[in-house]
Amino acid sequence: MMNQRTLSCIVCPKECALEVSMLDKVVTYISGYSCERGRQYAHDEILCPSRIITTTVSIEGGVCKRLPVRSSSPFPKERINEWMREVKELRVKAPVQVGEVLIAGILGTGTDVISSKSVAQDQ
Amino acid sequence: MERFELAVIGGGPAGLAAALEARQNGIERIILFERERELGGILQQCVHSGFGLHLFKEELTGPEYAERFIESVRQSDIVCKTDTTVLEISGDRTVKAVNAADGFMEIGADALILATGCRERTREAIGIPGDRPAGIFTAGSAQRFMNLEGYRIGKRAVILGSGDVGLIMARRLTLEGSEVAAVVEAMPAPSGLNRNVIQCLDDFGIPLLLSHTVISTIGKERLEGVRIAQVDSRMQPIAGTESLIPCDALLVSVGLIPENELALQAGISTHEDSHGLAVDERMQTDAEGIFACGNAVSIHSLADYVTVQGRLAGRSAASFILDRRGRTELEPMYQDGRHTAK
Ligand SMILES: Cc1cc2nc3c(=O)[nH]c(=O)nc-3n(C[C@H](O)[C@H](O)[C@H](O)COP(=O)(O)OP(=O)(O)OC[C@H]3O[C@@H](n4cnc5c(N)ncnc54)[C@H](O)[C@@H]3O)c2cc1C
Ligand code: SF4
């Protein structure tokens, strides 16, 4: 079945209006994007909507109380709650570096959970 | 009194960019004041992603974006005074500040850059009647409690105002297991970015009530609920549309105002309507040698633009300092009192 969907690109604040045409579950045509990232977003949003997920976890012995963490790349949206449950269990000890992998390949996906910040040990 | 070539007040993206840019433009003695323990300003509590798309072509979180600049500052010889509050500045470019380690200090500088950011408008500023029970926050202070201190804000929240901070907090609360009953917005359209409406509300099925407002709060010790109503085109509640939403937290996200107490005390001009510092195209205020950038000038929705503006202020301050130094060296008898050499 042919159908069409209009999306608003959320990759950057330009918010281009994207038109996606599909035949059954196959994307046949995408228009309205101003850059390659937007085209990719439209494609992914139809097939498997994903987001960069961020939260904070507790950290011991550091100069701050909470450590901000994120998914290394967009993660499937329907599984956000599972992601949160898993990440809540994290116990991190300072020091930690920005970009350090805290959970590799979370929930069997190819994305990691990484630190969003370097935290030095509290002297 | 210790002397510096440049003093930067505020260690958010604006101040960091300004200090680094001045350093790269040949200014050697720079001091930066920040009242928080860490540099980075408001970015440290913005743990969501969406920073750096313009400058780095990557989607970074606030702390990651800040760290790129903090690292460069650490590797430079810029003197950073964190945990240090600036109490007063004056038109002759002296700065009075205080911290626990050094106590009171007074320094003189050839140029100043004001990068003090903004603060939030409060419920008082928009006048919602009701008692003052626990559970009512500005969205930014709720963000700070959650993301920096690790507190839970409430079990069921209503958010008043659809600014970006409110939208981002709606998602944040939901992810942390609180229920967001609704985002209530008096205007007929959301005030935050569409991308935030999609990824913060729509993704989680959070209702957005447009043309609605909170008319009163209920609860004495702890918030128990809010009364909302639809508003007409003049923002007046329409009789007969009132309803009650039970909740134990209300987050108010009704806008930001540039923070310029220091400049006002020193008699530096601000725009009456926006409260932002009045600057020329080189980011100089009406006080000679005092520059400004970032949210202290006007509210920016993108940190990348703040960085760009900080760089411009840093460059302008550097050429002001170098120009003045050139003049004092060439003309040792220079008569203008403001231009006496150290
Ligand atoms: C909730 C929220 C979400 C946002 N989301 C995004 C986003 O997704 N993407 C994006 O690009 N942008 C976003 N922004 C915008 C961006 O973060 C801001 O525009 C930017 O951080 C402003 O930088 P600034 O340096 O002017 O101010 P700030 O970051 O506020 O820094 C000012 C600093 O000055 C210090 N200071 C103030 N007074 C004194 C004093 N008297 N003495 C010493 N220090 C002082 C303060 O402590 C503070 O650290 C968001 C903003 C908010 C509030
Ligand atoms: S298509 Fe490209 S330019 Fe347009 S909003 Fe998306 S990322 Fe931004």
Side-chain angles (χ1 to χ4, degrees):
Chain A
M1 192 184 69
M2 266 288 274
N3 74 41
Q4 209 168 35
R5 264 183 70 186
T6 314
L7 300 171
S8 178
C9 181
I10 62 170
V11 178
C12 89
K14 205 169 156 189
E15 302 182 339
C16 299
L18 309 172
E19 292 277 347
V20 187
S21 310
M22 285 166 295
L23 187 56
D24 295 323
K25 288 242 154 73
V26 180
V27 174
T28 51
Y29 186 67
I30 302 175
S31 64
Y33 54 87
S34 311
C35 74
E36 177 53 30
R37 279 184 309 188
R39 202 191 61 78
Q40 187 64 43
Y41 168 79
H43 191 261
D44 296 349
E45 188 66 8
I46 298 295
L47 299 178
C48 175
S50 301
R51 302 282 183 262
I52 287 178
I53 318 173
T54 65
T55 187
T56 63
V57 299
S58 65
I59 179 163
E60 248 178 72
V63 290
C64 55
K65 294 182 210 160
R66 303 294 296 175
L67 177 70
V69 302
R70 56 171 288 182
S71 60
S72 54
S73 54
F75 181 86
K77 184 165 110 170
E78 305 107 51
R79 300 187 71 189
I80 289 185
N81 287 332
E82 281 173 77
W83 189 95
M84 283 297 289
R85 268 198 300 279
E86 191 90 2
V87 172
K88 279 260 117 46
E89 300 301 315
L90 261 177
R91 293 287 170 270
V92 183
K93 273 204 172 71
V96 57
Q97 285 302 312
V98 65
E100 199 172 307
V101 175
L102 305 172
I103 303 177
I106 187 169
L107 300 165
T109 63
T111 68
D112 302 333
V113 176
I114 61 174
S115 167
S116 298
K117 183 174 173 177
S118 303
V119 178
Q121 253 167 326
D122 200 9
Q123 305 303 337
Chain B
M1 185 168 68
E2 204 178 344
R3 280 205 69 88
F4 288 84
E5 286 176 290
L6 174 65
V8 178
I9 303 168
L16 291 169
L20 285 167
E21 187 76 9
R23 186 68 195 80
Q24 276 168 16
N25 280 270
I27 304 306
E28 278 155 8
R29 286 180 51 74
I30 304 178
I31 186 167
L32 186 149
F33 296 97
E34 168 54 54
R35 70 178 159 209
E36 299 294 332
R37 187 170 180 196
E38 290 181 288
L39 294 172
I42 206 147
L43 294 175
Q44 293 293 5
Q45 68 184 59
C46 296
V47 302
H48 58 280
S49 68
F51 298 83
L53 287 161
H54 287 273
L55 284 185
F56 299 115
K57 306 284 172 236
E58 290 182 62
E59 183 165 356
L60 302 171
T61 60
E64 287 172 303
Y65 184 88
E67 198 163 323
R68 303 215 166 169
F69 299 93
I70 296 171
E71 251 328 284
S72 311
V73 167
R74 281 218 186 95
Q75 282 167 14
S76 75
D77 52 8
I78 296 169
V79 179
C80 288
K81 290 281 180 196
T82 49
D83 253 334
T84 307
T85 301
V86 172
L87 304 169
E88 200 183 309
I89 60 166
S90 59
D92 65 356
R93 301 183 291 268
T94 54
V95 175
K96 293 185 177 130
V98 64
N99 70 23
D102 309 288
F104 178 81
M105 61 186 112
E106 187 171 356
I107 65 115
D110 299 341
L112 294 186
I113 296 179
L114 304 176
T116 46
C118 61
R119 58 190 150 81
E120 287 173 287
R121 290 177 67 194
T122 59
R123 175 174 94 148
E124 280 65 33
I126 50 167
I128 306 172
D131 284 313
R132 296 295 181 255
I136 303 178
F137 308 88
T138 57
S141 54
Q143 187 179 48
R144 189 187 164 90
F145 284 135
M146 277 186 96
N147 294 348
L148 297 182
E149 314 281 342
Y151 292 116
R152 187 159 181 197
I153 297 299
K155 297 194 184 74
R156 189 166 204 261
V158 167
I159 296 175
L160 173 61
S162 60
D164 290 311
V165 194
L167 299 176
I168 279 157
M169 282 309 289
R171 170 177 63 186
R172 190 78 192 100
L173 285 161
T174 310
L175 284 176
E176 289 294 341
S178 304
E179 184 191 347
V180 178
V183 174
V184 179
E185 167 61 56
M187 304 299 276
S191 64
L193 298 169
N194 196 25
R195 62 195 296 263
N196 285 335
V197 175
I198 296 170
Q199 57 183 346
C200 299
L201 302 187
D202 299 354
D203 273 6
F204 299 94
I206 299 168
L208 172 61
L209 301 176
L210 296 171
S211 300
H212 276 74
T213 193
V214 169
I215 50 175
S216 65
T217 59
I218 296 155
K220 273 226 166 318
E221 299 293 317
R222 176 82 203 187
L223 184 70
E224 287 161 21
V226 296
R227 230 178 267 285
I228 65 163
Q230 204 175 330
V231 292
D232 60 24
S233 54
R234 289 166 305 140
M235 298 286 143
Q236 294 308 307
I238 303 173
T241 62
E242 298 90 357
S243 62
L244 175 76
I245 307 182
C247 60
D248 62 355
L250 173 66
L251 270 58
V252 184
S253 173
V254 289
L256 303 165
I257 325 173
E259 159 114 43
N260 285 315
E261 298 312 320
L262 294 172
L264 286 173
Q265 276 172 21
I268 298 170
S269 304
T270 55
H271 288 295
E272 234 169 74
D273 42 346
S274 67
H275 298 276
L277 284 168
V279 290
D280 65 15
E281 66 290 348
R282 298 171 61 226
M283 307 312 293
Q284 185 165 233
T285 65
D286 65 357
E288 190 186 27
I290 303 187
F291 298 79
C293 52
N295 281 355
V297 173
S298 61
I299 301 302
H300 293 72
S301 55
L302 278 190
D304 300 52
Y305 298 153
V306 170
T307 299
V308 170
Q309 199 179 64
R311 287 176 178 161
L312 173 60
R315 241 178 352 261
S316 300
S319 56
F320 174 83
I321 296 163
L322 296 174
D323 184 45
R324 206 170 84 116
R325 192 197 289 164
R327 273 189 286 161
T328 36
E329 276 164 10
L330 287 173
E331 303 169 56
M333 300 302 288
Y334 200 72
Q335 286 303 302
D336 186 337
R338 286 170 308 179
H339 289 158
T340 36
K342 297 178 205 170

